Amino acid sequence: MAVCKVGPFGHPTGKIGDVVFYMSRGQLICRSVGKPGKPSLKQKANRGEMSVTMELLKPMKDFINVSFKQESEGTLKNPHNLATSYNKKQALTGEYPNIKVDYAKVILSKGTLEMAADLKVSKSTDGLNLSWDSGIEENGAIDDILMVLVSHPTKKCASTYLNAAKRADGSCFLPLDKEWMMEAQMEVYVCFKSSNEKLISDSAYAGNLNGAPDSPLEIAEKAKYGVIKARFDQVAADYEKKKMDYAEGVLATKAFRYLEKEYQVLKDKLKHLPGKPA
């Protein structure tokens, strides 16, 4: 570690190469960068949350650059920074390492413009039908522009419609040009921007289409449940048969007591085990 004097161009701060500069009690200190230690569970969780958030937002770049443009202006943050901050805090669920997105809580815009009510989305043969209440209560205009983002999480891409319709239209059709889009998971989000692009609404979640695939954890839980359920069915059949076949004497045997104990243990385990079919 060394103490640095302020030069004609001021003092450096932050990391330069393998050296870090920082202030401590009024003195500029520089030290070499140490080797990173083993990450803590909290650090791993933070990295996991960031990874899931970035994977969610990466295909939404074009939408986010417009939807968070107004909020980012005059700040040190860009639209992607804002989207990352909001969704890392609000749109994730689960504990590390099983962190996943709660799509109903995803935030793709924040603003004061009025959002439409009664959003409805449905599939047609080659696209989506979207409808909304075109009425205005206090802070909107008939020529507000509808923006729509259709996320395709299983394909890690998104369909973006920056000028889908006007508020007054009350409905619109969103074409989807790839055949797989009609069958894969879809998560639909909308917001309104004013015609002069100075105002924007909060985003709204219009809903899910085609459901969502199981996560790796859910797949593992269902597989484990299936194995234990198969064993329980086998033991239960044997247990009930012995009870019926031997009305007297067999219930007191050691073999039967072991069978009965396994039957009860498996039965209790299945009551609380995740992975049970819906």
Side-chain angles (χ1 to χ4, degrees):
M1 183 175 69
V3 177
C4 300
K5 301 297 184 181
V6 178
F9 303 105
H11 58 73
T13 59
K15 181 181 177 183
I16 302 176
D18 292 331
V19 178
V20 175
F21 296 85
Y22 61 95
M23 296 297 297
S24 177
R25 296 185 179 181
Q27 287 188 317
L28 178 64
I29 308 297
C30 64
R31 62 173 178 82
S32 61
V33 178
K35 293 183 179 180
K38 186 177 180 180
S40 65
L41 182 60
K42 187 174 181 179
Q43 288 174 318
K44 289 180 179 179
N46 183 62
R47 294 172 187 175
E49 290 170 354
M50 182 60 74
S51 177
V52 172
T53 304
M54 297 301 285
E55 184 174 304
L56 167 72
L57 299 178
K58 185 176 180 181
M60 305 177 179
K61 181 179 178 180
D62 291 343
F63 190 95
I64 288 169
N65 282 341
V66 176
S67 63
F68 281 112
K69 179 182 177 182
Q70 291 297 323
E71 189 175 353
S72 66
E73 288 183 350
T75 73
L76 298 177
K77 294 184 177 182
N78 60 43
H80 193 269
N81 294 151
L82 291 172
T84 300
S85 178
Y86 281 128
N87 288 288
K88 184 171 178 287
K89 295 176 182 177
Q90 304 293 333
L92 303 184
T93 185
E95 299 293 331
Y96 176 83
N98 301 306
I99 301 166
K100 61 181 182 179
V101 178
D102 183 341
Y103 291 99
K105 295 182 179 179
V106 170
I107 298 172
L108 296 184
S109 67
K110 295 286 286 184
T112 59
L113 194 64
E114 183 177 329
M115 185 57 217
D118 198 25
L119 284 168
K120 295 178 182 177
V121 62
S122 62
K123 291 196 299 181
S124 66
T125 55
D126 56 355
L128 304 181
N129 292 311
L130 185 67
S131 65
W132 59 92
D133 183 349
S134 61
I136 301 170
E137 291 189 4
E138 54 181 59
N139 187 28
I142 59 173
D143 60 349
D144 290 337
I145 300 167
L146 177 73
M147 296 170 52
V148 184
L149 187 288
V150 182
S151 174
H152 310 281
T154 59
K155 301 295 183 178
K156 298 183 179 181
C157 66
S159 300
T160 302
Y161 308 85
L162 298 180
N163 296 280
K166 297 291 181 64
R167 185 190 292 269
D169 294 335
S171 66
C172 67
F173 174 73
L174 307 170
L176 295 173
D177 58 2
K178 293 182 174 60
E179 186 175 347
W180 62 259
M181 290 180 173
M182 300 306 298
E183 303 300 328
Q185 176 188 2
M186 287 188 277
E187 308 291 344
V188 185
Y189 304 90
V190 305
C191 70
F192 281 100
K193 63 180 178 181
S194 60
S195 58
N196 62 8
E197 300 190 356
K198 291 185 178 181
L199 295 175
I200 198 160
S201 72
D202 288 349
S203 62
Y205 178 58
N208 164 275
L209 293 169
N210 300 326
D214 292 334
S215 68
L217 175 63
E218 290 168 333
I219 293 172
E221 287 176 342
K222 288 182 177 181
K224 182 178 179 180
Y225 183 90
V227 170
I228 295 177
K229 181 64 164 61
R231 176 59 183 168
F232 172 76
D233 291 342
Q234 180 183 357
V235 170
D238 193 22
Y239 174 68
E240 295 298 335
K241 184 176 184 301
K242 282 184 168 53
K243 284 177 64 177
M244 293 178 63
D245 290 347
Y246 303 96
E248 298 179 1
V250 70
L251 298 183
T253 66
K254 186 176 181 180
F256 185 82
R257 289 199 302 271
Y258 277 125
L259 178 65
E260 187 174 44
K261 183 177 181 180
E262 184 178 8
Y263 170 80
Q264 292 295 340
V265 168
L266 291 172
K267 184 178 180 180
D268 291 341
K269 183 178 290 187
L270 287 174
K271 287 182 180 179
H272 307 288
L273 198 66
K276 184 182 299 184

